[in-house]
Amino acid sequence: MDEFELIQRITPRSLFHREIEIGIGDDAAVYHTKNGYQEIVAVDTMVDGIHFLSSHSSPADIGYKALAVNISDIAAMGGSPKYYLVSIAVPSGWHAVDIEAMYEEMNKLATLYQMDLIGGDTVSANGPLVLTVTVIGEIEKGRTCLRSHAEPGDVVFVTGELGSSAAGLAFILGQAEMKDEKQSQYFIERHKRPLPRVEAGLLCSGYHHVALNDISDGLASELNEIAEASRVSIDIYKEMIPVHSDLHTLHTKWEEWVLFGGEDFELVGTISNDQWERFSQECSERHVPVYQIGRVTQQGQADVFYHNGQDRVLLEKKGYNHFK
Amino acid sequence: MDEFELIQRITPRSLFHREIEIGIGDDAAVYHTKNGYQEIVAVDTMVDGIHFLSSHSSPADIGYKALAVNISDIAAMGGSPKYYLVSIAVPSGWHAVDIEAMYEEMNKLATLYQMDLIGGDTVSANGPLVLTVTVIGEIEKGRTCLRSHAEPGDVVFVTGELGSSAAGLAFILGQAEMKDEKQSQYFIERHKRPLPRVEAGLLCSGYHHVALNDISDGLASELNEIAEASRVSIDIYKEMIPVHSDLHTLHTKWEEWVLFGGEDFELVGTISNDQWERFSQECSERHVPVYQIGRVTQQGQADVFYHNGQDRVLLEKKGYNHFK
């Protein structure tokens, strides 16, 4: 594959942001920033065989998800994504048409948020495909939703159903039995094509002292991060956590998927009790789902508890390695 | 290797830039920008076996170069580097101590420029080590040194000797015979530890309409990029190009190294004739080397010519793949 040719094909012909002085085509990208705003930067790397399986995901799926998970990081700060850069190490078995399909799908997703591709690097690899995406966003000063913002008395919320991505992966890996084609496709879609909760994040940034994380490593892990950063304890309740109505029929492990599965890329956060009603009202008006799942309980300790009927168990900060 | 533990070990304990609201430790990094400045972003990926050979370079060498080449991209815009993010896909054969050595060396280099590590990603890989570094810098508005800035009559200059990095690589690969240990070490050092020309780039940004590139792909390729972006032709002269006094004794290919070898990470640029004297004077006062190597000759065509005695030959935009 000729790198110059690929760059010409993927270089956007038009840009959303006029603040860009130079996008692709010089040593680096250059852009103006807005007064009163801060910059937000996130970077994530995905490796074939570790974070996705090219045998089970199309190049378009892979490109989509690599960009989506980084947009999700910007959303988890309450910000607006604006720019992205794509670095890709391509094994010799891949064709230019696959790489183009990957960029094309990233471009489609980026267009939803009016994001511009401003740079990157394309190199050959003597190993699996490695895709690194950098996303740059912005947020008004003083509005960042940090993990350290949780306070006792806060409502704990999530923006959508959990465990569905892990269910989709179980279908892909043949670890769950497909009974209904349409149903399993739904879950697989949730795994391959998570929609970053940008609008929900932006709504959160309009309220005071919201803590926010995106659920990449699983609810337990994300809540523990908020608890540790804020030095608070958190109690969540099984019956309050939104799950797909069929989830429990798919596998005995469904509850583990909900708590530890990760990759749902919903947001989990905390907001003060006296803002909660106005916040949930505004979310409802804008058709942004939001569900209370528990409470921030006390200062000092940094424990997360899961209430299952009469039981109250400590939720540990463990992740979940799907391919092990 | 435990990712959480590694992150704790590499998270900087102090920061140069107070504009950072959040560095490592949330979903994304957040920082303020300065009024009247633009942001500059560059990203580069290096793969073991393609861009470096871990059999011949220490983890410290690899880390150094991955950061240096990105700083060089910021320098080639005339900017100041400020932040960096490191994404790394680590094969199972690597130990935590190697990865730490890599970060430690990046930290040393970053400290020279008062740069802060503000984020990244560490993942396992089932293939070679892949290291992606994102560098963010800034530049005063209107001062960016773009490839498109060359104009007929401009002086063409470089900031240091060329071909030495390619010579170093030839020693590493056993393609050139080591006669003098100290001498070959000098060239190997030029290959493994290029010093990004940040100060030279900053000086350039103080002058009007300077075109600038860093020499990663070879002088011929970089000059062709300037010629194409500016729609001008360029003439350079063999006897004006600075090379190490021993270079011609090392290999019959030495001239190819100079023109096509690349990875010297010197800057090549153009500046108007009437600014040249003041510019070279200022460079000399600040001990920043700068050498005229030719002229921008005419508008319209985008050709680069190399004068070798009586001969004037077209220099094509070819790179040079060292491992092929």
Side-chain angles (χ1 to χ4, degrees):
Chain A
M1 191 178 39
D2 179 339
E3 188 184 342
F4 294 117
E5 204 185 305
L6 179 71
I7 287 171
Q8 284 200 331
R9 281 199 255 172
I10 64 177
T11 299
R13 269 167 292 276
S14 67
L15 296 170
F16 292 111
H17 297 291
R18 286 192 296 175
E19 300 97 307
I20 300 173
E21 186 189 351
I22 287 288
I24 293 172
D26 211 305
D27 298 291
V30 183
Y31 62 90
H32 299 271
T33 58
K34 280 204 289 234
N35 276 347
Y37 280 76
Q38 292 172 295
E39 301 296 290
I40 313 178
V41 193
V43 60
D44 263 305
T45 292
M46 288 173 59
V47 181
D48 192 0
I50 308 275
H51 304 91
F52 62 87
L53 302 169
S54 57
S55 48
H56 291 83
S57 288
S58 69
D61 289 337
I62 295 163
Y64 177 97
K65 195 159 174 182
L67 180 57
V69 304
N70 278 289
I71 296 175
S72 181
D73 280 327
I74 303 294
M77 304 301 278
S80 304
K82 291 189 76 178
Y83 309 119
Y84 67 112
L85 302 94
V86 178
S87 239
I88 183 168
V90 188
S92 54
W94 284 67
H95 299 293
V97 63
D98 297 328
I99 303 301
E100 272 191 273
M102 205 174 277
Y103 278 93
E104 189 44 53
E105 200 66 28
M106 285 193 266
N107 182 46
K108 272 191 208 158
L109 179 62
T111 301
L112 281 184
Y113 304 105
Q114 305 209 311
M115 292 171 69
D116 292 311
L117 177 66
I118 59 168
D121 197 12
T122 311
V123 302
S124 355
N126 43 356
L129 186 98
V130 179
L131 188 53
T132 299
V133 177
T134 306
V135 170
I136 299 172
E138 66 179 15
I139 188 162
E140 252 184 272
K141 278 179 193 168
R143 294 196 171 277
T144 330
C145 300
L146 304 182
R147 289 176 189 170
S148 56
H149 280 179
E151 286 173 39
D154 281 4
V155 168
V156 180
F157 64 87
V158 293
T159 58
E161 65 185 49
L162 303 185
S164 298
S165 172
L169 183 57
F171 281 125
I172 292 171
L173 298 178
Q175 295 165 352
E177 197 195 337
M178 289 201 198
K179 294 162 200 154
D180 175 340
E181 173 75 20
K182 207 173 148 191
Q183 184 206 54
S184 46
Q185 274 311 316
Y186 169 84
F187 289 104
I188 289 172
E189 190 79 5
R190 293 280 303 185
H191 178 71
K192 290 186 175 173
R193 302 281 182 140
L195 196 66
R197 299 303 181 192
V198 174
E199 206 183 343
L202 287 174
L203 280 176
C204 289
S205 75
Y207 289 80
H208 179 66
H209 226 250
V210 173
L212 214 53
N213 250 357
D214 66 326
I215 303 179
S216 49
D217 293 333
L219 182 63
S221 176
E222 308 299 342
L223 283 174
N224 269 287
E225 284 185 349
I226 291 175
E228 282 168 19
S230 301
R231 295 166 186 270
V232 295
S233 284
I234 290 172
D235 282 73
I236 59 166
Y237 298 83
K238 178 176 177 175
E239 70 277 12
M240 297 174 91
I241 301 173
V243 295
H244 190 278
S245 55
D246 293 343
L247 193 74
H248 68 282
T249 67
L250 303 179
H251 202 286
T252 52
K253 273 196 177 170
W254 72 274
E255 205 173 341
E256 230 176 286
W257 291 345
V258 171
L259 297 173
F260 306 107
E263 300 221 6
D264 284 306
F265 295 102
E266 298 294 345
L267 300 179
V268 56
T270 73
I271 186 169
S272 71
N273 196 46
D274 57 341
Q275 296 181 103
W276 168 248
E277 201 180 313
R278 189 160 56 87
F279 173 65
S280 56
Q281 180 71 35
E282 195 186 355
C283 287
S284 150
E285 284 163 10
R286 302 202 182 201
H287 308 288
V288 170
V290 63
Y291 309 87
Q292 180 174 359
I293 62 165
R295 282 274 179 198
V296 179
T297 45
Q298 62 168 344
Q299 206 96 42
Q301 294 284 82
D303 292 328
V304 179
F305 296 102
Y306 177 61
H307 294 253
N308 183 356
Q310 296 303 312
D311 295 337
R312 179 175 185 251
V313 295
L314 191 68
L315 268 192
E316 283 179 62
K317 192 183 180 170
K318 66 171 176 181
Y320 187 92
N321 194 328
H322 297 276
F323 299 149
K324 273 187 182 159
Chain B
M1 189 180 42
D2 180 339
E3 191 183 340
F4 293 117
E5 203 185 305
L6 180 71
I7 287 171
Q8 284 199 332
R9 280 199 256 171
I10 64 177
T11 299
R13 271 167 292 276
S14 68
L15 296 170
F16 292 109
H17 297 291
R18 287 191 296 175
E19 302 97 305
I20 300 173
E21 185 188 351
I22 288 288
I24 292 171
D26 211 304
D27 298 291
V30 183
Y31 62 90
H32 299 271
T33 58
K34 280 205 291 238
N35 277 347
Y37 280 76
Q38 293 174 296
E39 300 296 290
I40 312 178
V41 193
V43 60
D44 262 304
T45 291
M46 286 173 59
V47 181
D48 192 0
I50 307 276
H51 304 90
F52 61 88
L53 302 169
S54 57
S55 48
H56 291 81
S57 289
S58 70
D61 289 338
I62 296 163
Y64 177 97
K65 195 159 174 182
L67 180 58
V69 304
N70 279 288
I71 296 175
S72 181
D73 280 327
I74 304 294
M77 304 302 276
S80 304
K82 291 189 76 178
Y83 309 120
Y84 67 113
L85 302 94
V86 178
S87 240
I88 183 166
V90 188
S92 53
W94 284 67
H95 300 293
V97 64
D98 297 328
I99 304 301
E100 271 190 274
M102 206 174 275
Y103 278 94
E104 190 43 54
E105 199 65 28
M106 286 192 267
N107 182 47
K108 271 191 209 159
L109 179 63
T111 301
L112 281 185
Y113 304 105
Q114 305 209 311
M115 294 172 68
D116 291 311
L117 177 66
I118 60 169
D121 198 11
T122 311
V123 302
S124 353
N126 42 357
L129 187 98
V130 180
L131 188 53
T132 300
V133 176
T134 306
V135 169
I136 299 173
E138 67 179 16
I139 187 162
E140 252 185 271
K141 278 180 191 165
R143 293 196 172 276
T144 331
C145 300
L146 304 181
R147 289 177 187 169
S148 56
H149 280 178
E151 285 173 41
D154 281 3
V155 168
V156 180
F157 63 87
V158 293
T159 58
E161 65 185 50
L162 304 184
S164 298
S165 172
L169 183 57
F171 281 124
I172 292 171
L173 298 177
Q175 294 166 352
E177 196 195 338
M178 289 201 198
K179 293 162 203 155
D180 174 342
E181 173 75 20
K182 208 172 146 193
Q183 183 204 56
S184 47
Q185 276 311 316
Y186 169 83
F187 290 105
I188 289 171
E189 190 79 4
R190 293 279 305 183
H191 178 71
K192 290 187 177 173
R193 303 279 181 140
L195 195 68
R197 300 302 180 192
V198 174
E199 205 184 342
L202 288 173
L203 280 177
C204 289
S205 75
Y207 290 80
H208 179 67
H209 226 249
V210 173
L212 214 53
N213 251 357
D214 66 325
I215 302 178
S216 50
D217 293 332
L219 182 64
S221 176
E222 309 300 340
L223 283 174
N224 269 287
E225 284 184 350
I226 290 174
E228 283 168 20
S230 300
R231 295 167 187 270
V232 294
S233 285
I234 290 172
D235 282 72
I236 59 166
Y237 298 83
K238 178 176 178 178
E239 69 276 12
M240 298 173 90
I241 301 173
V243 296
H244 189 279
S245 55
D246 294 342
L247 193 74
H248 69 282
T249 67
L250 303 177
H251 202 287
T252 53
K253 272 195 179 174
W254 71 274
E255 204 173 343
E256 230 177 285
W257 292 344
V258 172
L259 298 173
F260 306 108
E263 301 221 8
D264 283 307
F265 295 102
E266 297 294 345
L267 300 179
V268 56
T270 73
I271 187 169
S272 71
N273 196 45
D274 56 342
Q275 295 181 104
W276 168 248
E277 201 180 314
R278 190 159 54 88
F279 173 65
S280 56
Q281 180 73 32
E282 195 185 356
C283 287
S284 151
E285 283 161 12
R286 302 200 182 206
H287 308 288
V288 170
V290 62
Y291 308 88
Q292 179 175 358
I293 62 166
R295 281 276 177 193
V296 179
T297 44
Q298 61 168 345
Q299 205 97 41
Q301 294 284 82
D303 293 327
V304 179
F305 295 101
Y306 177 60
H307 294 253
N308 184 356
Q310 297 303 313
D311 295 339
R312 180 177 184 248
V313 295
L314 192 68
L315 267 194
E316 284 180 63
K317 192 184 181 169
K318 68 170 177 183
Y320 187 92
N321 194 328
H322 299 276
F323 299 150
K324 271 187 184 159

